[in-house]
Amino acid sequence: MKPVKIGILGLGTVGCGTINVLARNGQEIARRAGREIKIVQASARDLKKKRPCPTEGIRLVADPFEIVRNAEVEVVVELIGGYDPARSLVLEAIANGKHVITANKALIAVHGNEIFAAAQKRGVMVAFEAAVAGGIPIIKTMREGLTGNRIEWLAGIINGTSNFILTEMRDRGRDFAAVLAEAQRLGYAEADPAFDVDGIDAAHKLTILAAIAFGIPLQFKQAYIEGISRITRADVQYAEELGYRIKQLAIARRTDGGVELRVHPTLIPQRRIVANVDGVMNAVLVKGDAVGPVLLYGAGAGAEPTASAVVADLVDVVRTLTVDPTNRVPHLAFQPDALSDLPILPMERVETSYYLRLHALDRPGVLADITRILGDLGISIEAILQKEPAEGENVVPIIILTHRVVERNMNEAISRIEQLASIKGSVARIRLEHLNRDWK
Ligand code: NDP
Ligand code: HSE
């Protein structure tokens, strides 16, 4: 059979990783796909740059639009990243009848509804396994392996860079900026690393997972997003003393009022497997009503782990090239005309437990004032830790863990506590989840 001809847009970390994996495992991959996969064209901005992958036999071009307009190319692999020109390239490839594979979560989370509608109309596939959790086959697992379940919630560490930073801060006491620079050098970080540390990248991925889990449209703008830059080494240490780890968690949960869609640093009990997912590794815990909790773990970023997911999509596309489009697995797991309009809950209505860190004057009655405010708002305390004041200071750090309470009440409590004359500075708040089966 004739080889399937593909064009790759972008020869960076993932583009080159994909070429290397296809070069090394080409024969094995062809045996699986049923046809050889041949890269005929690839693009990069700087054609003079030396690439860590073999490009002999591939026509290199500076203009990626040449590839999406090349009649010879059947499958376009978009590995440029960002919103534009990626969106225009993908839409033009679809309009030209080409199947598309992308690792671009920003593109899918923000423009996915438009892209999938265009692909549906044109009868082509858009595959995006590499867009979420790097090499972990989470999209395929949720879209195909768990179709018998009503998904209740999912929680994941889905940004390798921020997990790498938090791990290095905890284990080696390293400085935030130095670890971020290393993540950039290793090719883990986004072109704009603020996407990683501010939680935007994780929210892009969560948006995709939530759509697949609950059969809702992609709604990135509704996600609550908080990054890791306000986490201090002291918070990491206090959390450890109380038996918890701080992880940047992405959570989607179905509740009676709607769907929770949130990304924020979270205390997790140390005994949970997810609390022990370190470095650039990712993990996604999905709770289905029939199967119970399922945990997937693996490399969340990096050239070849991500290429592993890109190539899996390529094989899927090649295998289904001749399948009637109406019989293919729907892009977002549910048939496009069967999506639900479940609302996304505003953060004020989300219920979680909390870790609070505050600094109080070391004098009698302070704790009583704080606990009164919490009690008045129906917030019950799970643990309190009062630390020694630093040398020569009379301000003591107080750490409080609370039971579950709706965020609106916690906002009010924090505002009242900050108004106490005995409290210095603002109250630091980190949400806490036990991640037990029934989300209690
Ligand atoms: P890189 O920055 O390493 O590579 C991007 C490539 O696209 C480069 O070859 C670059 O050319 C080219 N490019 C950049 N901007 C333009 C533009 N405006 N027009 C044309 N070409 C352009 O990115 P990655 O390989 O790291 O990421 C690619 C995609 O994969 C992104 O969507 C990213 O989010 C996603 N991803 C990345 C992972 C990772 O671990 N790196 C993991 C999972 C997903 P040149 O080389 O000449 O500069
Ligand atoms: N910047 C992303 C991360 C790449 O660190 O997880 C993988 O999507």
Side-chain angles (χ1 to χ4, degrees):
M1 226 188 243
K2 281 201 297 194
V4 176
K5 294 183 178 165
I6 71 165
I8 298 187
L9 317 180
L11 283 177
T13 305
V14 185
C16 259
T18 302
I19 292 179
N20 280 325
V21 169
L22 282 171
R24 191 172 68 237
N25 299 341
Q27 283 188 355
E28 195 100 348
I29 291 164
R31 281 172 55 213
R32 291 193 170 113
R35 283 171 75 180
E36 186 196 336
I37 294 169
K38 188 169 162 45
I39 308 166
V40 293
Q41 207 171 14
S43 76
R45 283 176 301 195
D46 179 358
L47 294 182
K48 294 209 179 89
K49 204 192 270 182
K50 195 163 162 29
R51 309 277 163 186
C53 55
T55 54
E56 302 79 36
I58 303 173
R59 206 145 20 96
L60 299 185
V61 290
D63 179 6
F65 283 93
E66 271 192 42
I67 300 179
V68 302
R69 292 170 190 159
N70 179 349
E72 189 191 19
V73 169
E74 293 163 83
V75 183
V76 167
V77 184
E78 186 277 306
L79 301 173
I80 289 177
Y83 304 115
D84 252 311
R87 173 180 165 273
S88 313
L89 287 161
V90 164
L91 287 174
E92 189 163 337
I94 291 169
N96 292 338
K98 300 181 193 312
H99 303 284
V100 173
I101 288 159
T102 180
N104 189 339
K105 49 274 163 133
L107 178 73
I108 296 297
V110 174
H111 298 295
N113 296 323
E114 176 191 20
I115 288 169
F116 295 140
Q120 194 74 21
K121 209 163 145 206
R122 193 68 176 78
V124 295
M125 288 172 269
V126 177
F128 50 96
E129 182 65 70
V132 182
I136 302 177
I138 182 66
I139 305 282
K140 197 165 187 74
T141 301
M142 287 185 44
R143 199 164 58 179
E144 298 175 46
L146 298 178
T147 41
N149 288 264
R150 183 174 197 268
I151 305 291
E152 294 172 356
W153 55 263
L154 64 92
I157 295 172
I158 51 177
N159 182 266
T161 301
S162 53
N163 200 42
F164 181 64
I165 294 171
L166 288 175
T167 305
E168 292 288 308
M169 278 171 71
R170 186 195 73 213
D171 290 354
R172 306 213 178 108
R174 286 181 66 196
D175 178 61
F176 190 105
V179 189
L180 173 59
E182 190 181 345
Q184 288 180 282
R185 191 174 49 72
L186 292 167
Y188 302 155
E190 293 304 298
D192 176 357
F195 275 45
D196 296 291
V197 296
D198 292 345
I200 300 162
D201 176 74
H204 284 144
K205 295 165 177 166
L206 180 69
T207 301
I208 298 170
L209 291 181
I212 291 173
F214 308 126
I216 55 176
L218 296 152
Q219 298 169 75
F220 170 69
K221 282 198 180 141
Q222 311 270 2
Y224 173 81
I225 311 174
E226 202 178 293
I228 59 165
S229 48
R230 274 184 290 158
I231 301 296
T232 64
R233 289 231 287 273
D235 290 323
V236 172
Q237 190 187 320
Y238 297 151
E240 291 279 326
E241 284 177 37
L242 289 157
Y244 293 86
R245 290 264 152 81
I246 300 178
K247 291 291 178 189
Q248 174 70 330
L249 219 59
I251 296 168
R253 190 165 81 96
R254 197 198 288 261
T255 71
D256 292 340
V259 170
E260 292 179 5
L261 196 61
R262 49 190 170 109
V263 172
H264 50 69
T266 311
L267 267 75
I268 311 171
Q270 279 166 7
R271 63 181 181 281
R272 296 269 175 256
I273 299 175
V274 173
N276 296 284
V277 171
D278 287 336
V280 75
M281 302 307 275
N282 279 193
V284 186
L285 183 57
V286 187
K287 166 79 190 310
D289 67 338
V291 69
V294 171
L295 178 67
L296 280 89
Y297 167 86
E304 293 214 358
T306 312
S308 161
V310 171
V311 174
D313 274 348
L314 265 169
V315 172
D316 252 5
V317 166
V318 172
R319 281 175 177 158
T320 44
L321 275 176
T322 52
V323 171
D324 172 355
T326 53
N327 291 330
R328 290 185 186 135
V329 178
H331 292 113
L332 290 176
F334 289 72
Q335 297 299 336
D337 58 358
L339 295 189
S340 130
D341 58 1
L342 266 179
I344 306 294
L345 277 187
M347 197 59 196
E348 283 237 301
R349 289 180 52 203
V350 165
E351 207 185 82
T352 72
S353 305
Y354 293 86
Y355 159 106
L356 304 177
R357 174 175 45 80
L358 36 117
H359 293 93
L361 290 178
D362 193 10
R363 63 185 187 205
V366 175
L367 269 182
D369 289 341
I370 297 166
T371 52
R372 190 179 327 106
I373 291 173
L374 294 175
D376 286 350
L377 287 154
I379 303 171
S380 66
I381 294 171
E382 185 188 309
I384 295 192
L385 189 65
Q386 182 170 332
K387 307 298 289 185
E388 288 297 309
E391 187 78 22
E393 283 189 24
N394 69 339
V395 174
V396 289
I398 298 173
I399 317 302
I400 300 174
L401 300 188
T402 76
H403 289 291
R404 297 184 75 76
V405 58
V406 71
E407 176 110 350
R408 188 190 300 115
N409 287 22
M410 183 50 82
N411 291 344
E412 178 59 27
I414 289 175
S415 150
R416 288 191 203 172
I417 290 171
E418 285 176 343
Q419 283 166 36
L420 293 173
S422 51
I423 298 298
K424 297 293 150 206
S426 53
V427 175
R429 158 227 324 246
I430 308 176
R431 295 169 190 88
L432 184 158
E433 294 293 356
H434 293 279
L435 294 187
N436 45 25
R437 199 184 163 96
D438 300 320
W439 202 270
K440 295 238 168 83

